Every structure is written in structure tokens, then in C-alpha cells.
Amino acid sequence: MATQTPKQPPAPPATRPTPGGNDSDSVVLERRTQRVGPPQMYQVVMLNDDFTPMEFVIVVIQEFFGKDHGTATQIMLKIHLDGKGVCGVYSRDVAATKVDQVMEAAQKSGHPLQCVSEPVE
């Protein structure tokens, strides 16, 4: 059993800069303001297929992208005629979530609807 109490290590000697003196060990960093740009945006794009009913596409656009019936119909027609259509533009994480939601809804309903997200250029 120990009978002596442990000793404290000696404190390092304190150094003070001399007022008005030139301290050769000091480093002065220049403070610069950082400018952060807006995040990269991604567009959620639905792809056309010959098997998914147009009514299902309209319902999906209304439900997951918050579009009214007229706008959802216009987007659906663009998908049908051009092969793909943009449903919305979001940040990367939100766009990925929207794609997952659409793909899950299509899979549960038995439709081969495809949806992807692409960076906005």
C-alpha cells in the first residue's frame, strides 16, 4: 500500500510576450471571411414507359411533388411525349428522397415507372 501522496508535475514556466517587443515565436493569421455558395440543386426526372398508366403518373406527381391536377397533367404529357419530364428541383438529399418515394410507390402498385435525379446545370 502506498504511504506517500503522488507529487504534482512541475508547471512549465510561463512566457509572456514583451509589450511592444517583437516576438519571433508568434504567428499572426489573417482572418478572411468565407463565402459559401448555394448548394448544388438536383432535378427529379420521371422517365416514360409504355406500361405505367397516365392516371397513376398524375397521382404520383400530385402526391409526392405537391402539384395541382392541371400542372401534374402537363408534366405527365411532357413525360409521355418527350420521354422524360422534370417534376421538381431540390437539394440532393430531398431529391434522393423523392426518387425513393416514387420508386417505392410504383413498385407497390406493380408499375415499372422509373425516376432519377440529375444535377441542374
Side-chain angles (χ1 to χ4, degrees):
M1 197 176 221
T3 59
Q4 297 178 354
T5 59
K7 295 181 181 178
Q8 293 289 338
T15 58
R16 292 185 184 175
T18 57
N22 196 359
D23 207 311
S24 62
D25 292 339
S26 65
V27 176
V28 177
L29 297 177
E30 183 178 333
R31 192 173 277 204
R32 296 183 183 176
T33 58
Q34 294 181 345
R35 301 216 181 253
V36 178
Q40 172 72 42
M41 300 302 282
Y42 288 78
Q43 58 189 7
V44 178
V45 179
M46 274 195 208
L47 306 176
N48 186 43
D49 63 69
D50 294 333
F51 303 104
T52 305
M54 293 179 180
E55 294 80 18
F56 178 77
V57 175
I58 292 171
V59 169
V60 166
I61 293 171
Q62 286 178 311
E63 184 176 335
F64 297 116
F65 298 99
K67 306 294 184 185
D68 59 63
H69 190 347
T71 305
T73 303
Q74 289 176 350
I75 295 171
M76 180 274 301
L77 288 173
K78 176 133 179 84
I79 295 167
H80 181 68
L81 297 173
D82 296 345
K84 65 180 182 176
V86 177
C87 298
V89 177
Y90 307 96
S91 64
R92 182 180 63 186
D93 294 337
V94 174
T97 301
K98 297 283 185 185
V99 168
D100 290 343
Q101 289 173 336
V102 170
M103 297 294 287
E104 184 179 342
Q107 184 180 16
K108 282 183 180 178
S109 298
H111 300 300
L113 181 64
Q114 294 295 308
C115 187
V116 296
S117 65
E118 303 172 342
V120 175
E121 297 172 1

